[in-house]
Amino acid sequence: MKKICLFLFLIIIAYSFGKTLKVGIYEYPPIIIKEENEVKGVLPEILNYISEKENIQLEYIYTTFSNCFELLENDEIDLMLGVGYTKERDEKFIYNKIPFINSHGGVFVNKNSKIFSFLDLDNKKVGVLKKDIYYEGPNGIRNISETMGINVEFVEYDNYSDIFNAILSGEVSAGVFDYYIGKYFYESKGIKETPLEFYLINLYIIYHNDDLKNVIDIIDDNLKSLKNDNKSIYYSIIGKYIKDNVIKKWLYIFLIISGLVFIILITIVFIMKRIIKQKTLELNIKNIELKKLASTDSLTKVYNRRMGFELLNKLIILAKRKNKPLVIGFIDIDNLKYINDKYGHSVGDRVIKLISEIIKKHIRESDIIARYGGDEFFIGLYDCNIENAKRIESSIKRELIVISKIEKLPISVSLGFVEYENNKSLDEIISKADKVMYQNKRKKKH
């Protein structure tokens, strides 16, 4: 019996490796790039390296994102590359175990746009990719807008390039892109990112046929080894497509400046014209950057106090209009002075950033987190009561206990939650939440 099982296993292995696997891909630069007859980019080159090593034959099928799912479901392709996890997809397809990379969604706009928050999307047209996780997923832009009661008209497109063109033409006010596409590919072509980043995902291979499990397991084993080796080709490929784009961008700026210097040497008159033009351009760029800096905290990348207060006031107006509860929380990092004194301010900064990421992870995309200053944060939880806020508090504290053990640092926070009252000002509510937080902090010391 054992010999028969072994024989069948070897047949399955031989079949899996003997056939050419059809891999569905779609427009996803710089993660997946199709140029004429060449397929390249981060994910194909990692997969190609593994397939060559393990003698797996691949054939790439380039189509739209939504059509990839249809082809896979009908067994017209064997694999689809670069897919985020959702419960609905998991019911139809099988995921490999080791993610290739992670990414997140972002809202990108025309360079002259004044969209800085989700509330600014009210009554706007927003371009989205059909079946995209950042659009239809449980933490996608559609659910965020519905949760906040924002009226957004979503316009569906087959490709990211169509969304990019729609932004430039003014057909839509904003577009939802994967961060890598927006930041490293389209930003240099005429759009800019907003502070609206959401939905951290992992990118996997999905397949439909159980017979491919042995091949996928081998791919997973290779991925695990490559990711565990900081000097492996895995990191070289990622650096090639992400860092190179940044270098090219700065090289392009350097060439422009060099050209201006050359023109200066030719004619004084032209110098003055070019200087004026260049200074105007620089001022416009600085104004854009200043607006972004003015809204976010430089260390944690969450909203700063000024923008946080502005958005909380908007949430208050929305809560009153929709007759929804609103909870405001004040958070203080415990032991930060001790950590700074014993381990240094660089470790203290890393703890601040880590805690901000954990808080952001445990609240919804429609909620607000802002850094009050130093070791303090405040959050706004729309359509939430104190009981639910306490559950969020428990989740944050549980994860911090685990992180504290891993980092071998006394990482913890004290929180205070207060439900917004109509007759109170925002300063009064923040002050009240601050007092509740300090009461909770004192209880830890007794």
Side-chain angles (χ1 to χ4, degrees):
M1 185 66 183
K2 289 182 179 179
K3 290 182 178 179
I4 293 172
C5 291
L6 179 60
F7 178 71
L8 291 173
F9 176 75
L10 292 173
I11 289 176
I12 292 171
I13 291 290
Y15 171 76
S16 298
F17 284 87
K19 65 176 290 192
T20 297
L21 299 180
K22 293 183 178 180
V23 183
I25 57 172
Y26 57 97
E27 180 193 53
Y28 193 174
I31 306 306
I32 300 173
I33 301 172
K34 174 73 163 59
E35 290 181 352
E36 297 180 354
N37 296 323
E38 184 182 10
V39 174
K40 56 184 182 178
V42 177
L43 301 193
E45 292 188 24
I46 293 172
L47 185 59
N48 287 344
Y49 173 81
I50 295 171
S51 64
E52 288 174 11
K53 178 185 173 188
E54 301 293 344
N55 196 27
I56 302 170
Q57 302 300 314
L58 302 177
E59 177 188 351
Y60 288 104
I61 308 298
Y62 185 76
T63 182
T64 64
F65 181 71
S66 58
N67 193 46
C68 268
F69 288 102
E70 294 176 14
L71 293 177
L72 187 61
E73 191 170 1
N74 295 327
D75 293 322
E76 295 179 47
I77 59 175
D78 299 297
L79 313 173
M80 181 175 173
L81 186 60
V83 183
Y85 177 86
T86 67
K87 184 179 178 182
E88 292 77 10
R89 293 172 183 174
D90 193 33
E91 290 172 354
K92 289 185 178 181
F93 308 110
I94 309 168
Y95 282 77
N96 75 307
K97 294 183 176 62
I98 307 297
F100 277 70
I101 57 172
N102 59 42
S103 187
H104 60 274
V107 176
F108 289 76
V109 294
N110 191 288
K111 286 188 174 181
N112 298 320
S113 173
K114 296 182 179 179
I115 292 174
F116 294 101
S117 73
F118 285 111
L119 297 174
D120 293 329
L121 298 176
D122 195 28
N123 295 319
K124 300 285 195 309
K125 288 185 178 181
V126 176
V128 291
L129 185 68
K130 289 179 184 177
K131 294 190 178 181
D132 192 6
I133 193 170
Y134 302 124
Y135 169 43
E136 297 182 346
N139 296 315
I141 189 75
R142 185 168 64 186
N143 278 348
I144 293 173
S145 63
E146 289 173 358
T147 301
M148 297 185 70
I150 299 171
N151 180 31
V152 179
E153 182 181 346
F154 293 106
V155 184
E156 297 182 353
Y157 295 92
D158 288 322
N159 299 295
Y160 279 120
S161 57
D162 295 335
I163 303 174
F164 167 72
N165 290 327
I167 295 173
L168 290 186
S169 67
E171 184 179 328
V172 296
S173 299
V176 175
F177 289 95
D178 179 273
Y179 177 77
Y180 290 120
I181 298 174
K183 182 66 179 174
Y184 293 109
F185 195 76
Y186 287 131
E187 188 176 61
S188 62
K189 298 184 178 183
I191 65 172
K192 66 174 182 178
E193 65 173 322
T194 68
L196 307 181
E197 298 177 2
F198 58 97
Y199 208 164
L200 181 67
I201 66 167
N202 289 314
L203 293 172
Y204 298 89
I205 287 175
I206 59 172
Y207 59 105
H208 195 230
N209 189 342
D210 285 330
D211 292 341
L212 296 175
K213 184 179 184 304
N214 294 314
V215 178
I216 300 300
D217 286 345
I218 290 172
I219 292 173
D220 276 333
D221 289 341
N222 276 273
L223 266 177
K224 185 176 180 181
S225 298
L226 289 171
K227 293 175 79 171
N228 286 338
D229 181 1
N230 291 333
K231 296 181 180 179
S232 73
I233 193 171
Y234 172 89
Y235 295 100
S236 300
I237 292 170
I238 291 175
K240 169 184 173 184
Y241 282 99
I242 294 176
K243 292 180 181 178
D244 280 358
N245 277 307
V246 177
I247 292 170
K248 288 177 183 177
K249 179 178 178 181
W250 285 108
L251 180 60
Y252 179 69
I253 294 173
F254 172 77
L255 290 174
I256 291 176
I257 295 173
S258 298
L260 290 174
V261 171
F262 177 75
I263 293 170
I264 287 171
L265 296 175
I266 296 174
T267 168
I268 300 285
V269 175
F270 203 59
I271 286 175
M272 297 308 297
K273 290 181 179 179
R274 296 301 292 181
I275 288 177
I276 292 170
K277 185 177 179 180
Q278 180 66 17
K279 292 298 181 182
T280 303
L281 177 63
E282 289 175 359
L283 284 172
N284 288 335
I285 293 172
K286 286 180 180 178
N287 284 336
I288 292 170
E289 293 299 322
L290 285 172
K291 285 179 181 178
K292 185 176 179 181
L293 289 172
S295 65
T296 55
D297 174 62
S298 59
L299 175 63
T300 62
K301 306 306 179 186
V302 302
Y303 292 116
N304 59 25
R305 178 163 59 180
R306 184 193 63 79
M307 182 56 72
F309 271 44
E310 183 177 324
L311 294 176
L312 273 182
N313 277 316
K314 289 183 179 180
L315 272 189
I316 288 170
I317 294 170
L318 184 65
K320 287 179 179 178
R321 190 173 76 218
K322 300 286 185 178
N323 195 26
K324 297 287 186 180
L326 173 64
V327 170
I328 294 172
F330 202 87
I331 303 168
D332 184 82
I333 302 174
D334 302 326
N335 309 310
L336 186 61
K337 185 178 184 305
Y338 168 79
I339 292 172
N340 283 332
D341 291 344
K342 184 170 182 179
Y343 301 98
H345 285 273
S346 61
V347 175
D349 286 347
R350 184 161 62 85
V351 169
I352 294 171
K353 188 176 180 181
L354 180 63
I355 287 174
S356 71
E357 290 171 351
I358 290 171
I359 295 169
K360 192 173 181 180
K361 175 182 174 183
H362 286 280
I363 63 177
R364 299 163 300 181
E365 300 291 347
S366 56
D367 296 328
I368 290 169
I369 172 175
R371 188 178 180 190
Y372 191 81
D375 55 359
E376 297 171 324
F377 296 87
F378 61 91
I379 57 176
L381 307 175
Y382 174 75
D383 195 14
C384 177
N385 54 35
I386 292 293
E387 183 181 347
N388 289 332
K390 290 291 185 182
R391 282 198 283 269
I392 293 172
E393 177 181 355
S394 298
S395 298
I396 292 171
K397 288 184 174 180
R398 279 198 300 271
E399 183 162 357
L400 286 177
I401 289 172
V402 175
I403 295 295
S404 182
K405 291 178 180 178
I406 294 171
E407 297 288 337
K408 297 180 180 179
L409 292 169
I411 303 174
S412 64
V413 296
S414 298
L415 302 93
F417 291 104
V418 175
E419 191 162 344
Y420 177 75
E421 301 173 32
N422 287 336
N423 61 337
K424 298 290 185 182
S425 69
L426 181 56
D427 286 337
E428 289 175 318
I429 294 295
I430 289 286
S431 178
K432 187 175 179 181
D434 186 19
K435 289 178 182 177
V436 173
M437 180 275 295
Y438 272 110
Q439 289 171 3
N440 293 334
K441 184 184 284 285
R442 282 196 293 270
K443 289 177 184 177
K444 295 180 181 179
K445 298 178 179 179
H446 294 295

